[in-house]
Amino acid sequence: MERRKFLSNSALALLAAGTMGNGCLKAKTNPARKFKIALNPGIIGVKANLVQTLDYAINYGYETISPFVEEVKQDYSPGQLADLKDKMKANKIGFGSTNLPVAFRKDNRSFLEDFKKLAPFCKTMEKLGATRINTWIISSHNSLTYNENMNQHAYRLGECARVMKDYGIRLGLEYLGTRPLLNQNKYPFISTMKEGKELIAATGQSNVGFVLDSFHWYTANDNKEDILQLKAEDIVVVDINDARKGFSRETQVDLKRELPLSTGVINLKAFMEGLVAIGYDGPIRTEPFNQVLNDMEDDAALQVNKEAINKVLALVNL
């Protein structure tokens, strides 16, 4: 949701025409699949607190939920937290990932003010048993050259990861592959997996990896072979999305995309084969930024989203 505020004035993409059948929504038990189907309700336009999200996950067959860290910090007693964790355990549901709560893209004062709050945030994550935080990297800048931007990102994100490591938390970084973002400011920055690897290495921290989004993998012109060069532990979170028909790879834009397999523009079979081959075992979720989905009633959105994920799993017989 943070990226939507940061980037948008763009209209959101429409879902592909037609409706989806009711099909079985429960996740299949399959020893070949190591990763977990994640529910982040805000991404699909569902308004819910942590308790409601857990109930939705149970009812619709999701396997991880986003940690509502600030809600837990403010509103949950130790007893309530214990009850929540017991319910999650009984239903075999874990925690997925949440956004980095640090303004690392802004001026140094803003960064330092937020950075002071990171340790308490991570302490609550540790109490929850949540182990993943994610953010995204804007692929151009108006005043910082590539090297200047790399140095700033490496230092600030490295410092954040250093704090997270003390609480057993990993940091996922998402490169954005769309060409308009790369060209919208004076100085281009990271927009491919290879460049993302350079930033991850530059942080100097072992608990930093990728948020790998099929949409940006496609728009960056990355491929299955690039995924096969990774280890399972190199990926913290996976997003699966499709792209709009009628647009070239170079003209796709970040906030206009589709649910996976809505259009077939992105080769999700190859994407998933790569993940299965390296044994990725983290959360997998959608991030369609899609107005039609956002406008649905909550139950309908949860069902359509889960059915889309099920279809992607079927591509690799999971």
Side-chain angles (χ1 to χ4, degrees), residues 40 157 292 304 314:
N40 185 338
L157 293 171
V292 168
V304 166

Side-chain angles (χ1 to χ4, degrees), residues 96-112:
S97 187
T98 191
N99 286 329
L100 175 64
V102 177
F104 67 91
R105 303 177 191 90
K106 296 182 179 180
D107 60 274
N108 200 48
R109 180 176 180 179
S110 297
F111 168 69
L112 292 174

